[in-house]
Amino acid sequence: MTTGAPTPTYPARPRRSRMRTFLPLGLAAWLVLEIWLLTVVAGAASGFAVFLLLVAGFVLGSVVIKRAGRRAFQNLNEALQRGGAPSSSGSSGNGLMMLGGLLLMIPGLISDAVGLLLLIPPVQKAVGRYAERTFDRKLREAGPGTLGDAFQQARMQRPDGKVVQGEVIVRDEPGDDTPQEPRPPLTR
Protein backbone atom coordinates (compact mmCIF):
# COMPACT_ATOMS: atom_id res chain seq x y z
CA MET A 1 0.00 0.00 0.00
CA THR A 2 1.53 3.30 -1.04
CA THR A 3 0.64 6.75 0.17
CA GLY A 4 1.87 8.57 -2.90
CA ALA A 5 4.86 10.05 -1.09
CA PRO A 6 8.13 9.59 -2.90
CA THR A 7 10.46 7.00 -1.49
CA PRO A 8 13.45 8.76 0.06
CA THR A 9 16.64 8.13 -1.86
CA TYR A 10 19.82 8.03 0.11
CA PRO A 11 22.97 9.26 -1.55
CA ALA A 12 25.63 6.69 -2.30
CA ARG A 13 28.25 6.28 0.38
CA PRO A 14 31.42 8.13 -0.48
CA ARG A 15 34.38 5.99 -1.48
CA ARG A 16 36.90 5.25 1.21
CA SER A 17 40.27 6.74 0.56
CA ARG A 18 43.23 4.45 -0.05
CA MET A 19 44.78 5.58 3.21
CA ARG A 20 41.71 4.53 5.22
CA THR A 21 41.69 1.18 3.43
CA PHE A 22 45.34 0.21 3.57
CA LEU A 23 46.57 1.87 6.79
CA PRO A 24 44.97 -0.68 9.15
CA LEU A 25 46.27 -3.53 6.98
CA GLY A 26 49.75 -2.01 6.92
CA LEU A 27 49.76 -1.53 10.70
CA ALA A 28 48.65 -5.13 11.27
CA ALA A 29 51.36 -6.44 8.91
CA TRP A 30 53.96 -4.25 10.61
CA LEU A 31 52.97 -5.53 14.08
CA VAL A 32 53.07 -9.16 12.94
CA LEU A 33 56.49 -8.60 11.36
CA GLU A 34 57.82 -6.91 14.50
CA ILE A 35 56.63 -9.75 16.76
CA TRP A 36 58.01 -12.38 14.39
CA LEU A 37 61.39 -10.64 14.22
CA LEU A 38 61.54 -10.31 18.02
CA THR A 39 60.88 -14.05 18.42
CA VAL A 40 63.54 -14.92 15.82
CA VAL A 41 66.14 -12.73 17.56
CA ALA A 42 65.10 -14.09 20.98
CA GLY A 43 65.54 -17.62 19.66
CA ALA A 44 68.98 -16.83 18.23
CA ALA A 45 70.30 -14.84 21.20
CA SER A 46 68.11 -14.95 24.30
CA GLY A 47 64.99 -13.35 25.63
CA PHE A 48 67.03 -11.31 28.08
CA ALA A 49 69.16 -9.86 25.25
CA VAL A 50 66.03 -8.81 23.39
CA PHE A 51 64.65 -7.24 26.57
CA LEU A 52 67.89 -5.28 27.08
CA LEU A 53 67.77 -4.19 23.43
CA LEU A 54 64.22 -2.91 23.83
CA VAL A 55 65.04 -1.07 27.07
CA ALA A 56 68.12 0.51 25.45
CA GLY A 57 65.99 1.66 22.52
CA PHE A 58 63.46 3.20 24.90
CA VAL A 59 66.14 5.04 26.87
CA LEU A 60 67.92 6.26 23.73
CA GLY A 61 64.62 7.41 22.23
CA SER A 62 63.69 9.39 25.33
CA VAL A 63 67.13 11.07 25.35
CA VAL A 64 66.80 11.98 21.66
CA ILE A 65 63.28 13.40 22.12
CA LYS A 66 64.38 15.42 25.14
CA ARG A 67 67.42 16.82 23.29
CA ALA A 68 65.45 17.71 20.15
CA GLY A 69 62.68 19.30 22.20
CA ARG A 70 65.15 21.32 24.21
CA ARG A 71 66.84 22.50 21.00
CA ALA A 72 63.51 23.46 19.42
CA PHE A 73 62.48 25.36 22.54
CA GLN A 74 65.83 27.17 22.60
CA ASN A 75 65.42 28.18 18.93
CA LEU A 76 61.91 29.46 19.63
CA ASN A 77 63.11 31.37 22.68
CA GLU A 78 65.92 33.03 20.71
CA ALA A 79 63.51 33.96 17.93
CA LEU A 80 61.08 35.54 20.40
CA GLN A 81 63.90 37.56 21.94
CA ARG A 82 64.91 38.77 18.46
CA GLY A 83 61.29 39.59 17.73
CA GLY A 84 61.00 37.47 14.60
CA ALA A 85 60.06 34.04 13.39
CA PRO A 86 62.25 31.01 14.17
CA SER A 87 64.87 30.46 11.48
CA SER A 88 64.45 27.34 9.39
CA SER A 89 68.20 26.65 9.46
CA GLY A 90 68.35 26.42 13.25
CA SER A 91 65.29 24.23 13.61
CA SER A 92 65.88 21.88 10.68
CA GLY A 93 65.47 18.30 11.69
CA ASN A 94 63.99 18.77 15.16
CA GLY A 95 60.67 17.24 14.14
CA LEU A 96 62.34 14.34 12.38
CA MET A 97 64.64 13.81 15.36
CA MET A 98 61.59 13.65 17.61
CA LEU A 99 59.96 11.17 15.23
CA GLY A 100 63.13 9.09 15.24
CA GLY A 101 63.17 9.14 19.04
CA LEU A 102 59.53 8.11 19.16
CA LEU A 103 60.22 5.22 16.79
CA LEU A 104 63.11 4.17 19.03
CA MET A 105 60.78 4.17 22.03
CA ILE A 106 58.22 1.92 20.33
CA PRO A 107 59.11 -1.72 21.07
CA GLY A 108 60.33 -3.47 17.95
CA LEU A 109 63.45 -3.89 15.88
CA ILE A 110 62.12 -2.50 12.59
CA SER A 111 60.89 0.68 14.25
CA ASP A 112 64.27 0.98 15.99
CA ALA A 113 66.09 0.68 12.66
CA VAL A 114 63.87 3.32 11.04
CA GLY A 115 64.29 5.56 14.10
CA LEU A 116 68.06 5.25 13.92
CA LEU A 117 67.95 6.08 10.21
CA LEU A 118 66.01 9.25 10.97
CA LEU A 119 68.80 10.38 13.31
CA ILE A 120 71.33 10.52 10.45
CA PRO A 121 71.54 14.13 9.13
CA PRO A 122 71.65 13.32 5.36
CA VAL A 123 68.58 11.10 5.76
CA GLN A 124 66.85 13.87 7.72
CA LYS A 125 67.54 16.36 4.93
CA ALA A 126 66.31 13.99 2.23
CA VAL A 127 63.12 13.10 4.13
CA GLY A 128 62.54 16.77 5.00
CA ARG A 129 62.86 17.85 1.34
CA TYR A 130 60.51 15.06 0.25
CA ALA A 131 57.94 15.99 2.89
CA GLU A 132 58.15 19.67 1.96
CA ARG A 133 57.68 18.94 -1.76
CA THR A 134 54.73 16.66 -1.01
CA PHE A 135 53.14 19.25 1.27
CA ASP A 136 53.57 22.01 -1.33
CA ARG A 137 52.09 19.80 -4.06
CA LYS A 138 49.06 18.96 -1.89
CA LEU A 139 48.53 22.66 -1.15
CA ARG A 140 48.62 23.52 -4.86
CA GLU A 141 46.14 20.71 -5.62
CA ALA A 142 43.77 21.97 -2.92
CA GLY A 143 42.53 24.73 -5.20
CA PRO A 144 41.57 28.32 -4.52
CA GLY A 145 40.60 29.58 -1.13
CA THR A 146 42.35 30.31 2.09
CA LEU A 147 42.54 28.55 5.39
CA GLY A 148 40.23 31.23 6.75
CA ASP A 149 37.61 30.18 4.20
CA ALA A 150 37.79 26.64 5.52
CA PHE A 151 37.12 27.86 9.05
CA GLN A 152 34.27 30.12 7.94
CA GLN A 153 32.25 27.32 6.38
CA ALA A 154 30.37 24.95 8.62
CA ARG A 155 28.51 21.75 7.93
CA MET A 156 25.80 20.56 10.24
CA GLN A 157 24.48 17.01 10.18
CA ARG A 158 20.78 16.76 10.84
CA PRO A 159 19.28 13.62 12.41
CA ASP A 160 17.46 12.74 9.21
CA GLY A 161 20.79 12.52 7.33
CA LYS A 162 20.51 15.78 5.42
CA VAL A 163 23.52 18.10 5.39
CA VAL A 164 22.92 21.80 5.85
CA GLN A 165 25.76 23.94 4.56
CA GLY A 166 26.21 27.46 5.84
CA GLU A 167 28.63 30.15 6.91
CA VAL A 168 29.68 31.29 10.34
CA ILE A 169 29.21 35.03 10.88
CA VAL A 170 31.25 36.58 13.67
CA ARG A 171 30.19 40.00 14.90
CA ASP A 172 33.06 41.88 16.50
CA GLU A 173 31.38 45.25 16.82
CA PRO A 174 32.02 47.03 20.15
CA GLY A 175 28.39 48.12 20.61
CA ASP A 176 27.00 44.61 20.09
CA ASP A 177 27.01 43.61 23.79
CA THR A 178 23.24 43.25 24.12
CA PRO A 179 22.25 39.96 25.70
CA GLN A 180 20.51 37.66 23.30
CA GLU A 181 17.67 35.35 24.15
CA PRO A 182 18.52 31.64 24.22
CA ARG A 183 18.45 29.99 20.84
CA PRO A 184 16.51 26.82 20.10
CA PRO A 185 18.52 23.61 19.69
CA LEU A 186 19.83 22.79 16.20
CA THR A 187 18.36 19.30 16.15
CA ARG A 188 14.71 18.50 16.69
Side-chain angles (χ1 to χ4, degrees):
M1 184 168 151
T2 61
T3 60
T7 307
T9 58
Y10 297 105
R13 293 178 83 184
R15 278 182 40 110
R16 289 182 78 168
S17 67
R18 287 185 185 173
M19 179 69 84
R20 285 187 61 196
T21 301
F22 293 118
L23 185 65
L25 296 173
L27 282 174
W30 173 63
L31 287 174
V32 168
L33 189 61
E34 287 277 20
I35 292 170
W36 174 78
L37 191 60
L38 284 173
T39 58
V40 167
V41 171
S46 70
F48 188 68
V50 171
F51 176 73
L52 287 179
L53 194 62
L54 293 176
V55 169
F58 186 83
V59 170
L60 179 65
S62 63
V63 167
V64 166
I65 287 178
K66 184 176 181 179
R67 182 175 168 215
R70 192 175 283 160
R71 189 168 52 172
F73 185 73
Q74 183 179 13
N75 289 340
L76 179 65
N77 209 6
E78 289 172 1
L80 289 176
Q81 288 176 355
R82 281 192 323 257
S87 63
S88 62
S89 62
S91 65
S92 63
N94 283 336
L96 291 174
M97 279 188 69
M98 287 184 187
L99 179 63
L102 180 67
L103 287 172
L104 282 170
M105 290 176 74
I106 294 174
L109 299 177
I110 298 171
S111 62
D112 287 350
V114 172
L116 286 173
L117 274 175
L118 283 177
L119 297 181
I120 300 172
V123 174
Q124 282 182 356
K125 288 180 183 176
V127 170
R129 282 194 306 265
Y130 174 75
E132 188 174 347
R133 281 194 313 264
T134 303
F135 185 70
D136 287 342
R137 181 175 45 89
K138 292 287 186 182
L139 278 179
R140 280 193 308 272
E141 290 174 0
T146 63
L147 191 59
D149 291 341
F151 285 116
Q152 287 294 325
Q153 291 187 355
R155 294 183 75 125
M156 297 179 346
Q157 188 81 27
R158 292 182 41 187
D160 58 356
K162 295 180 184 175
V163 175
V164 178
Q165 193 167 0
E167 288 189 18
V168 176
I169 300 173
V170 180
R171 296 183 184 160
D172 289 336
E173 299 172 7
D176 194 24
D177 294 337
T178 59
Q180 298 177 353
E181 57 188 67
R183 296 185 176 148
L186 293 176
T187 57
R188 294 180 191 199

